[in-house]
Amino acid sequence: MYLTDSEMDAVCDNIRKILSEHGGYWITLDPEISSLYVLIMKAFYGDRTRELMYQMRYRIEDKSDVTAVQNTMNIRVIGDVRENTKNAINYVISKGFKLERLPYAKHIPEFKSLENADPKIVAQIKEGLKRVCIWKISVDESVKVNISDSKTESFNADASIDGNRLNLTLSGNLDTLSAPKFLANYEKIKEVNAIDRVFIDCSKLEYVSSAGVRVLLVMQNDCEGGVTMKSCNETVIEVLSDTDIKII
């Protein structure tokens, strides 16, 4: 729910590398977690479910600095769920995997928290769980996937010091995979230089995820003069629109 398609591409590429080398399976409920959530909500709240979900969504987004985004592997419960499920399955297969969907109800213990619940609600939840699946994913050796140019290598940062200003030129995707290393390098620079502001050339920066935004906000709060970003594309500008980072 918190990964974009480009970030999910990187996750899939890295997991495929690991499974190709070490074997095993990728077991996840993530693609159908939204369906599970809705089924449980419906058991308790019935027709009020949709209204309550919208209310909770806006409350969460208002309180959190993380933006909820969608990716193809996360099955949306809005719209044509069958079509969304088909797209998610095709996405996993396109990344060079084989997929087996295992009924969730057969692979979980009894919920202790439901022992004192209304029997009708418990029955509805158990019935709903039959329609939700865990995904067991393995490498399809018959499919050759080129992952040599994965997203982990699609980011670069060049740095220079001008007085108390740190100048950065960023290129590629500042995302979940590249953001931690970018922050670590910034902290190393701060250890040996008196930095009070950051100027970033973004003419080659293609994308910034929520993880990248958090790193930029660390810099913004860390430096008295804040962060100034130049030559951002429309995608980056939109992602940063709710921050106080200066864009020129």
Side-chain angles (χ1 to χ4, degrees), residues 57-76:
R57 175 184 176 184
Y58 290 124
R59 286 175 185 170
I60 291 171
E61 290 181 349
D62 184 54
K63 299 292 183 181
S64 175
D65 63 350
V66 178
T67 302
V69 296
Q70 292 291 145
N71 60 66
T72 305
M73 190 171 165
N74 180 250
I75 300 172
R76 293 173 59 88

Side-chain angles (χ1 to χ4, degrees), residues 143-158:
V143 177
K144 302 301 180 182
V145 179
N146 180 13
I147 55 178
S148 59
D149 185 25
S150 69
K151 297 296 182 181
T152 56
E153 300 172 357
S154 67
F155 176 77
N156 187 64
D158 295 321

Side-chain angles (χ1 to χ4, degrees), residues 50 53-54 57 75-81 84:
R50 184 179 295 274
M53 287 182 63
Y54 276 116
R57 175 184 176 184
I75 300 172
R76 293 173 59 88
V77 294
I78 299 173
D80 190 333
V81 178
N84 295 341

Side-chain angles (χ1 to χ4, degrees), residues 10-29:
V11 169
C12 289
D13 289 344
N14 285 322
I15 289 178
R16 192 176 194 279
K17 286 180 182 179
I18 293 170
L19 295 183
S20 294
E21 182 175 350
H22 301 286
Y25 300 95
W26 175 15
I27 307 294
T28 179
L29 179 62

Side-chain angles (χ1 to χ4, degrees), residues 36 39-41 43-44 104 108-129:
L36 176 62
L39 288 168
I40 293 175
M41 286 282 290
F44 280 96
Y104 186 59
I108 59 170
E110 290 291 326
F111 288 114
K112 296 293 184 181
S113 58
L114 295 177
E115 288 181 351
N116 298 319
D118 185 327
K120 291 183 179 180
I121 292 178
V122 174
Q124 282 184 273
I125 291 176
K126 289 184 176 181
E127 186 62 31
L129 292 179

Side-chain angles (χ1 to χ4, degrees), residues 214-230:
R214 287 194 291 273
V215 174
L216 295 172
L217 289 175
V218 168
M219 296 180 179
Q220 173 78 357
N221 296 327
D222 194 37
C223 298
E224 183 179 348
V227 173
T228 300
M229 302 179 70
K230 176 185 178 182

Side-chain angles (χ1 to χ4, degrees), residues 164-177:
N164 292 332
R165 186 177 79 178
L166 171 62
N167 295 321
L168 296 168
T169 300
L170 307 184
S171 59
N173 299 314
L174 180 54
D175 55 23
T176 304
L177 297 175

